[in-house]
Amino acid sequence: MNIRIFNSQEDLNEAAADLIGGLVLRNPSAVLGLATGGTPVGIYASLVRRCAAGIVRFRDVTTFNLDEYVGLPKNHPESYFSYMRKHLFDAVDARPERCHLPDGSAADIAAECARYDGLLAQAGRIDLQLLGIGHNGHIGFNEPDHALLSGTHVVELKPSTREANARFFDSPEQVPTHAITMGIGSILKAQSILLVARGADKAEIMQRALYGPITTDCPASLLQTHADLHVYVDTAAGRLLNV
Ligand code: F6R
């Protein structure tokens, strides 16, 4: 496990963009696993700047997002599809047909999960998976439970997750109750994983995830079993980590 603690948000963003951009430079047709939420916004902004400066190109990159809300139309401003277009896809030279997200508005959600797993299988392997972490230890939207699923599936979001994400909506009731998420098996199959966290409110869960027991009660704790895990945190989120 490679843990790095950064004094500033900018340094964290640049280091994460170095890791992702460096991979794409070495392998222009890399397969990236991408996350949404507040944490990656500055990382995507750095990648956009690098692309505008001609340092990195996304033309041949394939991407898979971790998750999408169920029931939001794709073009809803808070869908993860809209988020990705705004923060990355529309601002770089990525090809839309290579940028995959689960479709939360699909009429047949079970078929949509199977379709997404089919696409992942076709891609072979994710080279680098970017992850944020929920306050309860969720990764993607794999919420704490007595069992976790390997493949893409529907989850009911925990009240605390809906509460945390209410900041993006006009009112808490508007946060969807369910999401489609890539499963833990697909996440752990990635060749490399970059877990990013910022802020004092993530310090305790980061300690539990990295040093606590490996348990489905804290899905991120399964990352301890991964052979190439990189953890980038700011000083506040890394307060309880030993480096
Ligand atoms: C988002 C995702 C979630 C978030 C997590 C942290 O695609 O899969 O696991 O990474 O909820 O969200 P933020 O970054 O908003 O604290």
Side-chain angles (χ1 to χ4, degrees):
M1 194 186 309
N2 164 33
I3 303 180
R4 295 180 65 187
I5 300 186
F6 297 91
N7 287 323
S8 77
Q9 301 293 323
E10 289 69 29
D11 289 351
L12 190 162
N13 292 336
E14 292 309 311
D18 282 349
L19 198 71
I20 299 168
L23 168 68
V24 174
L25 274 181
R26 287 193 305 281
N27 175 9
S29 54
V31 180
L32 301 178
L34 299 177
T36 57
T39 308
V41 169
I43 300 170
Y44 293 146
S46 174
L47 290 172
V48 167
R49 284 194 296 275
R50 289 163 197 234
C51 188
I55 297 167
V56 67
R57 304 191 62 182
F58 289 85
R59 261 189 75 70
D60 297 322
V61 166
T62 298
T63 67
F64 286 95
N65 265 80
L66 285 164
D67 38 27
E68 178 59 283
Y69 290 119
V70 169
L72 289 191
K74 270 183 159 184
N75 60 359
H76 186 285
E78 293 310 330
S79 75
Y80 286 164
F81 178 75
S82 297
Y83 171 107
M84 288 309 302
R85 285 191 62 180
K86 175 174 162 196
H87 292 293
L88 188 67
F89 298 156
D90 285 358
V92 297
D93 55 350
R95 286 194 264 184
E97 66 275 18
R98 290 186 183 232
C99 299
H100 306 290
L101 284 98
D103 180 359
S105 63
D108 183 342
I109 294 288
E112 175 57 14
C113 293
R115 181 192 73 88
Y116 207 62
D117 278 342
L119 286 174
L120 282 163
Q122 249 174 44
R125 183 190 67 190
I126 289 175
D127 294 303
L128 176 64
Q129 175 67 58
L130 175 63
L131 292 177
I133 185 170
H135 296 107
N136 62 4
H138 72 224
I139 46 175
F141 273 138
N142 294 278
E143 297 278 38
D145 208 336
H146 60 275
L148 296 172
L149 295 178
S150 177
T152 304
H153 60 284
V154 177
V155 280
E156 182 173 3
L157 299 175
K158 298 276 184 200
S160 63
T161 300
R162 294 187 64 222
E163 234 166 75
N165 288 3
R167 68 192 196 276
F168 299 115
F169 290 81
D170 290 338
S171 71
E173 306 77 53
Q174 286 177 15
V175 184
T177 56
H178 291 77
I180 299 180
T181 185
M182 210 188 266
I184 287 285
S186 307
I187 294 172
L188 290 176
K189 252 186 255 158
Q191 168 83 0
S192 303
I193 293 181
L194 171 59
L195 171 65
V196 180
R198 339 169 172 260
D201 56 319
K202 295 282 175 76
E204 278 177 28
I205 194 60
M206 285 302 290
Q207 184 189 40
R208 260 183 79 201
L210 301 184
Y211 307 128
I214 297 174
T215 162
T216 60
D217 285 337
C218 178
S221 67
L222 274 88
L223 297 173
Q224 292 177 41
T225 66
H226 196 275
D228 193 37
L229 175 65
H230 303 259
V231 180
Y232 289 6
V233 289
D234 64 2
T235 41
R239 186 173 56 87
L240 302 173
L241 305 182
N242 317 312
V243 176

